[in-house]
């Protein structure tokens, strides 16, 4: 399995880290209505939940870029580096979101997007 494919696996699971942060401590958590409980959260919990949604939203574009680059036999070392760059950007994105650093978060989000777009230019 290539490094890029490991990155795909990691990113498929990573949004659940944000979920865990959003539910940290489970104060008055209602497992029967978890989405409604999350909508009532504020502060870092609300930001972690928003980050979770964005992390899930970014997956299809990243997954497609890695798969298409692999099918097209793009240079594997570049595909791996760009996939690692995307993962690093998304980890940093979550940190910035939870810490409430909106400007830095936006810059890091753009860096992650740039990695995905660059993957398509490896084809």
């Amino acid at each position: 399995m290539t490094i890029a494919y490991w990155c795909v696996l990691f990113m498929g699971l990573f949004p659940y880290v944000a979920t865990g942060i959003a539910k940290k401590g489970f104060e008055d958590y209602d497992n029967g209505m978890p989405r409604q409980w999350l909508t009532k959260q504020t502060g870092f919990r609300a930001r972690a939940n928003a980050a979770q949604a964005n992390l899930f939203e970014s997956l299809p574009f990243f997954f497609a870029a890695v798969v298409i680059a692999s099918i097209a036999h793009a240079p594997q070392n570049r595909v791996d580096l760009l996939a690692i760059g995307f993962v690093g950007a998304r980890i940093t994105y979550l940190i910035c979101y939870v810490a409430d650093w909106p400007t830095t978060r936006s810059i890091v989000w753009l860096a992650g997007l740039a990695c995905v777009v660059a993957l398509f230019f490896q084809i």
Side-chain angles (χ1 to χ4, degrees):
M1 195 150 90
T2 67
I3 292 171
Y5 285 172
W6 280 109
C7 290
V8 166
L9 175 61
F10 177 84
M11 287 308 303
L13 298 172
F14 186 62
Y16 298 107
V17 172
T19 302
I21 294 168
K23 296 178 180 179
K24 182 180 182 287
F26 297 103
E27 295 173 16
D28 300 321
Y29 181 70
D30 181 2
N31 196 41
M33 306 276 283
R35 292 179 190 246
Q36 287 80 358
W37 178 84
L38 280 168
T39 62
K40 297 175 189 170
Q41 300 310 301
T42 59
F44 80 90
R45 291 179 197 279
R47 291 190 303 274
N49 187 48
Q52 169 201 205
N54 188 273
L55 288 166
F56 275 121
E57 292 163 3
S58 70
L59 293 180
F61 197 34
F62 173 63
F63 289 176
V66 169
V67 170
I68 291 168
S70 296
I71 289 170
H73 303 290
Q76 192 61 52
N77 63 333
R78 284 189 252 156
V79 173
D80 290 342
L81 285 173
L82 290 166
I84 290 169
F86 179 80
V87 168
R90 299 310 279 172
I91 291 169
T92 306
Y93 175 84
L94 175 58
I95 292 167
C96 291
Y97 218 134
V98 172
D100 198 17
W101 301 332
T103 302
T104 306
R105 181 188 81 219
S106 294
I107 292 167
V108 171
W109 178 88
L110 188 58
L113 179 63
C115 287
V116 174
V117 171
L119 277 166
F120 283 102
F121 284 98
Q122 301 309 306
I123 299 169

